[in-house]
Amino acid sequence: MALTACAASAASKGLAIDPAVEPPTFSALTRLLVVAPHPDDETLATGLLIQQVRAAGGEVQILLLTAGDNNPWPQRWLERRIRIRGVDRQRWGQRRLAEMQHALRQLDVPAQALRTLGWPDMGITEGLLQSGSGLLATLAEAIGEFHPSLIALPSLHDRHPDHGTAHVLVRLAVARLARSPAMLAYLVHGRTLGVRYVEICGSAGQQACKQQALSAYRSQMALSRNRLRRLAALPERYALVPPRPGQPASALPWLPPAWLQPWLRLSVVSERGTQSWRWRDAPLRRDGEGIYQLTLTSGLDDIPCFVRLAWDLHALWIFDHWGWHEL
Ligand SMILES: [Zn+2]
């Protein structure tokens, strides 16, 4: 079955779908790998895609990065407790995992198609910046074992740090493969997906099935039912990820004001590893137009190569303000 690029619907909303890009088609040979940072991302963002691949006879694997156990407000609400200990977190993660298994059954994904990596919820970015090679090796092995023809991965521009960083890790892992699968990036938090994308609308039956799968996530519906229902009712929109981007550029998209700069940290990540500086120590110069340019003597030749701007302190607000950018 062909992926439904809802060009007419997109055109009516003034959205741009690049006509030069052929949307992928599905068949019994399709091997879809969905990379989900938390339980529910796969249903919310790719519930229709999964169903369409399964309907075409293709195989689906879900790679779950964390158990979503660092989720204190729904847990406090449903368990009527203020303090959350390690053992409580563990129990919450198991609960969310059971919800995911239930949701996947609704989407016709067999239980053995779920693979969990057990990474720390809200800790993937720190993991990558502190010791990324271990995470990268695990991910590359998992991807290599499944041999996907298509990967659905979180968008680089997702404001949840686990999501943006998952994108970076998947891209670096895929760059190690001899042959790159097609990649479609989905957005759960934020607005900026990019201008080249395809949409999957799904049939009424597939939409109903997706909502049914979402119902399995009772822990998440408790405080966010309306938001999740609305999100799941939208057509699924995927940015096209070019497998081999062109020559990396050194320009940064950010112009942080001077008074903020003492609290900012800049990190560059590529296959070669991670380099990280306080803003004032970072290898930067401003060009004639006032744009910051990285002046690294090595590392910028790596493809892909990503840069991250973030607070250099722990903030209460969990979402990224600047986040990641691909050089
Ligand atoms: Zn998530």
Side-chain angles (χ1 to χ4, degrees):
M1 183 188 290
L3 182 149
T4 318
C6 312
S9 125
S12 69
K13 295 176 202 155
L15 305 173
I17 292 179
D18 189 333
V21 179
E22 278 291 307
T25 52
F26 306 139
S27 73
L29 297 177
T30 301
R31 296 177 65 79
L32 167 67
L33 179 70
V34 176
V35 179
H38 314 102
D40 79 4
D41 289 324
E42 80 303 327
T43 297
L44 280 172
T46 72
L48 300 177
L49 174 66
I50 289 171
Q51 290 181 71
Q52 293 194 0
V53 171
R54 292 294 292 146
E59 201 164 328
V60 174
Q61 187 179 84
I62 313 293
L63 194 55
L64 177 67
L65 305 186
T66 83
D69 53 311
N70 190 358
N71 184 218
W73 289 106
Q75 185 171 10
R76 285 186 182 118
W77 174 256
L78 284 180
E79 294 189 352
R80 298 284 187 258
R81 66 172 73 244
I82 300 293
R83 189 166 156 249
I84 295 172
R85 302 161 300 167
V87 66
D88 301 321
R89 253 183 79 159
Q90 214 174 7
R91 185 182 58 252
W92 191 256
Q94 284 163 358
R95 174 178 180 158
R96 294 195 66 183
L97 212 51
E99 290 175 345
M100 187 176 199
Q101 283 156 346
H102 186 182
L104 290 178
R105 275 199 298 279
Q106 300 287 332
L107 296 173
D108 189 30
V109 177
Q112 65 271 23
L114 172 60
R115 179 165 179 179
T116 61
L117 295 189
W119 290 353
D121 186 11
M122 278 303 296
I124 300 179
T125 305
E126 199 177 329
L128 170 63
L129 297 179
Q130 300 299 324
S131 56
S133 57
L135 299 188
L136 191 52
T138 304
L139 193 58
E141 190 187 328
I143 294 174
E145 277 175 14
F146 182 63
H147 288 300
S149 60
L150 175 63
I151 299 182
L153 72 164
S155 165
L156 182 67
H157 306 295
D158 196 296
R159 290 294 168 197
H160 191 300
D162 283 344
H163 283 236
T165 303
H167 181 103
V168 171
L169 281 161
V170 172
R171 293 285 306 284
L172 292 174
V174 164
R176 294 180 173 186
L177 301 175
R179 206 160 147 243
S180 176
M183 285 181 279
L184 296 174
Y186 65 80
L187 187 78
V188 176
H189 318 87
R191 292 167 186 273
T192 315
L193 185 60
V195 291
R196 299 171 70 228
Y197 55 80
V198 292
E199 275 190 346
I200 299 178
C201 296
S203 65
Q206 288 168 342
Q207 284 283 2
C209 184
K210 178 172 173 171
Q211 292 288 347
Q212 191 63 33
L214 185 63
S215 300
Y217 286 107
R218 294 170 69 173
S219 68
Q220 304 308 294
M221 299 289 263
L223 294 182
S224 311
R225 174 178 301 272
N226 292 342
R227 183 176 65 82
L228 296 181
R229 288 282 184 218
R230 262 199 316 273
L231 199 56
L234 296 172
E236 289 175 4
R237 195 172 290 167
Y238 296 92
L240 300 155
V241 180
R244 292 277 183 266
Q247 197 61 23
S250 58
L252 300 187
W254 309 295
L255 287 169
W259 65 270
L260 267 185
Q261 291 172 6
W263 291 283
L264 300 182
R265 175 161 288 268
L266 196 71
S267 305
V268 173
V269 177
S270 71
E271 169 69 27
R272 210 177 291 212
T274 299
Q275 295 171 277
S276 198
W277 312 264
R278 285 182 295 184
W279 177 272
R280 67 173 181 223
D281 302 326
L284 292 170
R285 68 172 174 81
R286 284 188 97 164
D287 66 15
E289 292 172 6
I291 293 168
Y292 285 102
Q293 302 276 350
L294 270 168
T295 56
L296 280 175
T297 50
S298 67
L300 281 181
D301 301 338
D302 295 340
I303 295 174
C305 185
F306 301 91
V307 61
R308 180 173 190 267
L309 179 63
W311 296 108
D312 196 16
L313 39 86
H314 284 286
L316 282 177
W317 181 246
I318 66 164
F319 291 104
D320 280 336
H321 180 67
W322 298 279
W324 290 98
H325 168 72
E326 184 165 3
L327 289 169

